[in-house]
Amino acid sequence: MNSTIRIGNCSGFYGDRISAVHEMLVGGELDYLTGDYLAELTMLILGRDRMKDPELGYAKTFLRQMEDGLGLAMDKGVRIVVNAGGLNPAGLTAKLRELAERVGVSARFAHVEGDDLTARAAELGLGQPLTANAYLGGWGIAECLSAGADVVVTGRVTDASVVVGPAAHHFGWGRTEYDRLAGAVAAGHVIECGTQATGGNFAFFTEIDDLARPGFPIAEIRADGSSVITKHAGTGGAVTVDTVTAQLMYEIQDARYAGPDVTTRLDTVTLTQQGPDRVEISGVRGEAPPPQVKVSLNTLGGFRNEMAFVLTGLDIEAKAELARTQLEAWLPVRPAELTWDLARLDRENAETEEQASAILRCVVRDTDPNKVGRAFSNVAVELALASYPGCTFLSMPGNGSPYGIYTPGYVDVQQVPHIAVLPDGTRVEVAPAGETRPLTPVADPDLPPPLDAGPTVDAPLGALAAARSGDKGGNANIGVWVRTDEQWRWLAHTLTVDELRRMLPETVDLPITRTLLPQLRAVNFVIEGILGKGVAYQARFDPQAKGLAEWLRSRHLTIPAALLGPVTSSDPTAQEAGS
């Protein structure tokens, strides 16, 4: 047994770089290649696929990747673990067997099922969703690998489980070796989103020399659960403490990162730069998992349509009011939801027409597609010659499209089957966690006294802090971190919930929870309800909160000048504010 295994990632979402499987297999040595194809929105997309054809419901792009990737992986002795099975892991596995026979590759296939609770949703108190999928852990994967599977396909497992399963199998970990399992979860969480760990979506992206085509990440996991995050030599991007921190902070809730196998204590993670493109993750502690398993629930909420008016030049507010008044009066029937949003992107005395223009969006939703179809969009266009001067639109009229609503559910671990279907067809039931621990908040750590750093400047938060944001249903998180202990003392005392609300006025009436992570020099915020009913609901123009952290970084506050040195902000308006 090797003391270290190399687990690479080739996909962070359904639609990621199609060539990544080939790039990872030819770029260097690997023991396992994993891919994450599922997200909350993806489950809705796959659910609609399954409605059209019961044999679908899986990530079709993975089959394309295996056309040449399967033979290459078998030749190199690389085993593959992916959650591309989506709602139909058995169906995808059957397709892979057909593909292997067609291309003449000998491989053993297995899959994991049991996560799909759709047929039992009402019985379990989950309503009547389009899809209901429990987040399984890594032990079914480990069972398949122990039976000799070369390729393991799963449905909805936690994103990190495709890494935890191979590590637990390889090292023979037990179900209660929580620190080792938590270390693998941390590594899996870092590499699950692909190139986000190697410089993609990174706040300090200008510091990375080559970001033209970032390489996909690799976790070198040791028997004790510690790991090194790296990438193939010669690939773009970078692996640094900051790029790894960025992914650790992505889509988290608080210091306890719960999963079906282990609850990982993010407040125990230590990151160390070992060398170029090598970051060690160590010291991770784990606890027994919670007594309930999270369930991803997607329902069809109704139908949605949108028209965007362009308002140019003077009297923007008056023009918007006229358009609103006319449209609402002219509609033959009012949809259940009708909302307006005016984005003042215009500038005074602008040098281009685009810079002189604002955007007025009208969004309608209803369970009746007729109310949000041409009955709405045609009326909007009828205003073209009868409304404000310069009336024009960003899109042509069209029919409404269906939208989904994501909600999390929770069921007792004993209620969720977990079945490993081995290469020979044997079905093995994987027992749920034998011991559990209810989730409770972690108390904030004691902080050092506030920093007394002398004169201050008015500057954007991003002059010294990095940040990463993401979606979880209708909620969003923003993780903010800094690089030095002095900056951390300032950040922890300054960036409070009240200060966040001041800096982001759209959050002023929303519940916000703050978590301190001193070992990462980080602060995490969870903002409830900012994304409405989830990404498919499209409550905001940024429905997945991808840019929320960058908005926060652009906002100004008073920062001790000593923490910045010469003002390093790219914003030339940063000025001294006094002492």
Side-chain angles (χ1 to χ4, degrees):
M1 181 179 65
N2 295 333
S3 59
T4 300
I5 55 169
R6 283 170 59 89
I7 303 177
N9 168 279
C10 67
S11 177
F13 67 101
Y14 189 15
D16 209 344
R17 190 188 307 171
I18 197 74
S19 61
V21 168
H22 185 269
E23 292 172 16
M24 290 300 288
L25 289 173
V26 302
E29 294 301 312
L30 292 175
D31 297 300
Y32 292 88
L33 182 62
T34 65
D36 177 16
Y37 292 78
L38 304 182
E40 293 161 0
L41 178 61
T42 311
M43 302 302 283
L44 176 66
I45 293 170
L46 297 180
R48 291 179 62 189
D49 282 352
R50 188 171 63 176
M51 288 175 66
K52 299 172 186 175
D53 183 348
E55 294 188 0
L56 295 178
Y58 54 80
K60 297 185 286 290
T61 53
F62 179 67
L63 273 178
R64 290 174 54 198
Q65 292 172 308
M66 288 295 99
E67 289 284 347
D68 69 331
L70 180 61
L72 189 57
M74 296 305 99
D75 288 345
K76 295 177 74 68
V78 177
R79 304 169 86 175
I80 297 173
V81 181
V82 295
N83 63 11
L87 303 177
N88 190 4
L92 177 56
T93 305
K95 291 291 185 182
L96 287 168
R97 289 195 175 100
E98 293 175 8
L99 183 152
E101 184 174 353
R102 186 174 73 250
V103 300
V105 174
S106 176
R108 293 162 293 184
F109 300 92
H111 71 273
V112 178
E113 59 186 42
D115 61 292
D116 193 344
L117 305 180
T118 308
R120 299 170 52 212
E123 161 198 339
L124 295 170
L126 301 173
Q128 295 181 314
L130 173 66
T131 67
N133 294 81
Y135 287 81
L136 302 181
W139 293 108
I141 296 170
E143 192 77 39
C144 292
L145 294 171
S146 295
D150 299 306
V151 180
V152 181
V153 173
T154 78
R156 181 69 279 186
V157 297
T158 66
D159 297 345
S161 291
V162 295
V163 170
V164 174
H169 156 69
H170 182 82
F171 294 116
W173 292 339
R175 297 286 296 261
T176 59
E177 293 189 73
Y178 296 129
D179 291 347
R180 291 180 169 88
L181 292 168
V185 167
H189 180 48
V190 169
I191 73 169
E192 72 189 36
C193 286
T195 54
Q196 280 197 165
T198 61
N201 294 347
F202 177 50
F204 294 141
F205 70 98
T206 57
E207 298 179 356
I208 299 178
D209 292 334
D210 177 14
L211 201 53
R213 192 175 178 86
F216 278 72
I218 298 167
E220 297 178 349
I221 301 181
R222 306 171 182 134
D224 64 357
S226 64
S227 64
V228 171
I229 306 301
T230 185
K231 62 185 183 70
H232 283 322
T235 58
V239 179
T240 69
V241 167
D242 280 325
T243 67
V244 171
T245 301
Q247 183 55 31
L248 277 174
M249 300 300 296
Y250 185 58
E251 295 182 342
I252 65 171
Q253 302 298 301
D254 54 33
R256 285 191 163 100
Y257 189 68
D261 299 327
V262 61
T263 294
T264 301
R265 290 291 297 265
L266 296 176
D267 55 341
T268 64
V269 176
T270 296
L271 302 180
T272 306
Q273 191 82 43
Q274 285 197 331
D277 296 320
R278 294 186 63 82
V279 173
E280 182 184 52
I281 302 177
S282 62
V284 186
R285 297 289 176 260
E287 300 169 345
Q292 290 187 313
V293 175
K294 185 178 179 180
V295 183
S296 171
L297 302 171
N298 281 286
T299 58
L300 291 178
F303 297 84
R304 178 189 184 279
N305 206 346
E306 175 180 326
M307 288 296 292
F309 298 78
V310 180
L311 315 174
T312 304
L314 304 176
D315 306 317
I316 295 295
E317 298 286 345
K319 289 172 179 175
E321 181 59 29
L322 177 59
R324 283 193 291 260
T325 301
Q326 288 178 311
L327 178 62
E328 294 190 21
W330 290 21
L331 285 175
V333 59
R334 187 181 179 92
E337 295 183 40
L338 188 153
T339 60
W340 294 91
D341 176 56
L342 177 60
R344 293 298 304 266
L345 308 176
D346 53 300
R347 305 180 190 177
E348 185 177 354
N349 195 28
E351 295 183 357
T352 69
E353 182 178 346
E354 188 171 6
Q355 291 175 349
S357 299
I359 306 299
L360 176 67
R361 291 185 176 88
C362 182
V363 177
V364 291
R365 297 182 182 87
D366 202 291
T367 56
D368 183 350
N370 295 317
K371 292 182 180 179
V372 299
R374 292 293 183 129
F376 159 71
S377 58
N378 281 354
V379 166
V381 172
E382 288 171 4
L383 299 180
L385 304 182
S387 189
Y388 60 88
C391 181
T392 188
F393 308 91
L394 288 181
S395 59
M396 298 301 292
N399 295 317
S401 57
Y403 70 89
I405 296 174
Y406 166 84
T407 54
Y410 297 89
V411 298
D412 189 276
V413 294
Q414 305 294 332
Q415 296 291 322
V416 180
H418 189 170
I419 301 167
V421 184
L422 308 183
D424 64 0
T426 301
R427 299 174 64 84
V428 177
E429 292 190 15
V430 179
E435 63 179 26
T436 61
R437 172 176 177 164
L439 291 174
T440 56
V442 176
D444 278 345
D446 293 332
L447 290 175
L451 188 69
D452 182 11
T456 61
V457 296
D458 179 71
L461 176 63
L464 81 166
R468 170 70 62 79
S469 55
D471 64 297
K472 277 297 178 186
N475 302 339
N477 93 295
I478 307 177
V480 183
W481 71 98
V482 289
R483 290 170 161 171
T484 70
D485 291 339
E486 290 77 15
Q487 290 173 339
W488 161 245
R489 285 178 61 188
W490 171 83
L491 182 73
H493 286 283
T494 301
L495 197 56
T496 62
V497 169
D498 287 343
E499 181 64 7
L500 184 80
R501 288 197 172 104
R502 183 198 68 79
M503 296 174 72
L504 304 184
E506 293 178 15
T507 70
V508 68
D509 295 321
L510 300 175
I512 300 175
T513 302
R514 185 179 90 145
T515 299
L516 298 175
L517 300 169
Q519 291 202 179
L520 297 175
R521 300 191 186 99
V523 180
N524 186 61
F525 297 92
V526 175
I527 306 168
E528 298 180 32
I530 192 169
L531 302 179
K533 298 177 182 178
V535 54
Y537 187 75
Q538 296 185 61
R540 295 169 55 84
F541 80 101
D542 176 20
Q544 292 181 287
K546 297 295 188 184
L548 197 60
E550 288 302 294
W551 177 30
L552 178 64
R553 291 183 68 242
S554 74
R555 296 285 285 163
H556 283 225
L557 71 173
T558 301
I559 301 176
L563 297 183
L564 299 172
V567 175
T568 57
S569 168
S570 59
D571 184 344
T573 64
Q575 298 176 5
E576 186 170 328
S579 58

